[in-house]
Amino acid sequence: MPLSEHEQKLLEQLEKQLHEDDPKFANSMGSDPGRTWSTRHLVIGVLCALAGIALLLVGVTTQMIIVGVLGFVVMGGGVYFATMRNASGAKGGSASGPGKSGKPRSTFMSSLEERWDERRRDDS
């Protein structure tokens, strides 16, 4: 069952808070909201890997070591490029920060935020 829009916003806020409080732990968990998979990287990387395999086979059949090595390097570069994530800092969020949208917060959310802030102050 998919999350509601409100739950998605709360989850995004919690993720941002985690990245601000403990970026090392957040990076180890692997959920960096600023990094996304790119279809273009995937397509170009796969094409480079296929070209590298072709060069490798040509190098083996013609017994030219330099062509085979070049094919291997191109193939490895293509795989690396295909699995690389790109940084897209422009997400759809507002620059004013969480809680600064036009509508007022509910008292339930306000009390949760106050309790969260108290915990953070106690830990510091």
Short mmCIF file of all heavy atoms in Angstrom, two decimals, residues 9 24 27 33 45 47 52 54 69 71 75 77 81 84 86 94 98 107:
data_model
loop_
_atom_site.label_atom_id
_atom_site.label_comp_id
_atom_site.label_asym_id
_atom_site.label_seq_id
_atom_site.Cartn_x
_atom_site.Cartn_y
_atom_site.Cartn_z
N LYS A 9 5.69 13.35 2.93
CA LYS A 9 6.34 14.59 3.38
C LYS A 9 7.03 14.38 4.72
O LYS A 9 8.14 14.86 4.93
CB LYS A 9 5.32 15.72 3.47
CG LYS A 9 4.88 16.23 2.11
CD LYS A 9 3.87 17.35 2.26
CE LYS A 9 3.38 17.81 0.90
NZ LYS A 9 2.36 18.86 1.01
N LYS A 24 27.23 10.86 8.29
CA LYS A 24 28.01 9.64 8.09
C LYS A 24 27.11 8.41 8.15
O LYS A 24 27.18 7.52 7.31
CB LYS A 24 29.11 9.57 9.15
CG LYS A 24 30.16 8.55 8.87
CD LYS A 24 31.26 8.67 9.91
CE LYS A 24 32.41 7.77 9.60
NZ LYS A 24 33.48 7.88 10.58
N ASN A 27 24.70 8.34 5.10
CA ASN A 27 25.35 7.86 3.89
C ASN A 27 25.58 6.36 3.93
O ASN A 27 25.51 5.68 2.91
CB ASN A 27 26.66 8.60 3.66
CG ASN A 27 26.44 10.02 3.22
OD1 ASN A 27 25.40 10.36 2.67
ND2 ASN A 27 27.42 10.87 3.47
N PRO A 33 18.95 11.69 -0.56
CA PRO A 33 17.91 12.23 -1.41
C PRO A 33 18.44 13.06 -2.56
O PRO A 33 17.73 13.29 -3.52
CB PRO A 33 17.08 13.09 -0.46
CG PRO A 33 18.01 13.44 0.64
CD PRO A 33 18.95 12.28 0.77
N GLY A 45 26.46 3.84 -20.44
CA GLY A 45 27.35 2.86 -19.84
C GLY A 45 27.22 1.48 -20.46
O GLY A 45 28.22 0.80 -20.72
N LEU A 47 26.12 0.83 -23.51
CA LEU A 47 26.67 0.91 -24.87
C LEU A 47 28.20 0.87 -24.85
O LEU A 47 28.82 0.20 -25.70
CB LEU A 47 26.17 2.17 -25.57
CG LEU A 47 24.69 2.18 -25.95
CD1 LEU A 47 24.30 3.52 -26.55
CD2 LEU A 47 24.37 1.05 -26.91
N GLY A 52 33.18 -2.14 -25.53
CA GLY A 52 34.39 -2.71 -24.94
C GLY A 52 34.49 -4.21 -25.14
O GLY A 52 35.57 -4.75 -25.42
N ALA A 54 33.15 -5.82 -27.63
CA ALA A 54 33.47 -5.99 -29.05
C ALA A 54 34.96 -5.76 -29.30
O ALA A 54 35.60 -6.54 -30.02
CB ALA A 54 32.63 -5.05 -29.90
N VAL A 69 43.34 -5.07 -24.45
CA VAL A 69 43.45 -4.31 -23.21
C VAL A 69 42.58 -3.05 -23.29
O VAL A 69 41.87 -2.71 -22.34
CB VAL A 69 44.93 -3.96 -22.91
CG1 VAL A 69 45.03 -2.96 -21.77
CG2 VAL A 69 45.72 -5.21 -22.58
N GLY A 71 39.92 -2.70 -25.10
CA GLY A 71 38.54 -3.16 -24.98
C GLY A 71 38.15 -3.43 -23.55
O GLY A 71 37.03 -3.10 -23.12
N MET A 75 35.28 -1.45 -21.53
CA MET A 75 34.21 -2.22 -20.92
C MET A 75 34.09 -1.89 -19.43
O MET A 75 32.99 -1.66 -18.92
CB MET A 75 34.48 -3.72 -21.10
CG MET A 75 33.41 -4.63 -20.54
SD MET A 75 33.78 -6.37 -20.79
CE MET A 75 35.37 -6.54 -20.03
N GLY A 77 35.09 0.86 -17.91
CA GLY A 77 34.60 2.23 -17.79
C GLY A 77 33.11 2.33 -18.04
O GLY A 77 32.40 3.10 -17.39
N PHE A 81 30.42 3.70 -15.41
CA PHE A 81 29.55 4.82 -15.77
C PHE A 81 28.08 4.45 -15.64
O PHE A 81 27.26 5.27 -15.23
CB PHE A 81 29.87 5.28 -17.20
CG PHE A 81 29.27 6.61 -17.56
CD1 PHE A 81 29.81 7.78 -17.06
CD2 PHE A 81 28.16 6.69 -18.38
CE1 PHE A 81 29.27 9.01 -17.39
CE2 PHE A 81 27.60 7.91 -18.71
CZ PHE A 81 28.16 9.07 -18.21
N MET A 84 27.06 4.48 -11.92
CA MET A 84 27.31 5.74 -11.23
C MET A 84 26.00 6.49 -11.00
O MET A 84 25.11 6.47 -11.85
CB MET A 84 28.26 6.58 -12.08
CG MET A 84 28.88 7.73 -11.39
SD MET A 84 30.18 8.48 -12.39
CE MET A 84 29.22 9.15 -13.74
N ASN A 86 24.13 10.20 -10.26
CA ASN A 86 24.44 11.61 -10.46
C ASN A 86 23.81 12.44 -9.36
O ASN A 86 22.78 12.09 -8.81
CB ASN A 86 23.98 12.11 -11.83
CG ASN A 86 22.49 12.05 -12.00
OD1 ASN A 86 21.80 11.32 -11.32
ND2 ASN A 86 21.98 12.82 -12.93
N SER A 94 10.84 23.03 -1.15
CA SER A 94 11.00 24.47 -1.04
C SER A 94 12.30 24.78 -0.32
O SER A 94 12.77 24.02 0.51
CB SER A 94 9.82 25.08 -0.30
OG SER A 94 9.79 24.60 1.02
N PRO A 98 11.53 22.81 6.15
CA PRO A 98 10.34 22.10 6.57
C PRO A 98 9.52 22.93 7.53
O PRO A 98 10.03 23.66 8.35
CB PRO A 98 10.88 20.84 7.24
CG PRO A 98 12.27 21.16 7.64
CD PRO A 98 12.75 22.20 6.67
N THR A 107 -1.83 20.59 15.81
CA THR A 107 -1.24 20.57 17.14
C THR A 107 -0.52 19.26 17.40
O THR A 107 0.46 19.22 18.14
CB THR A 107 -2.33 20.79 18.21
OG1 THR A 107 -3.35 19.80 18.03
CG2 THR A 107 -2.91 22.18 18.11
#
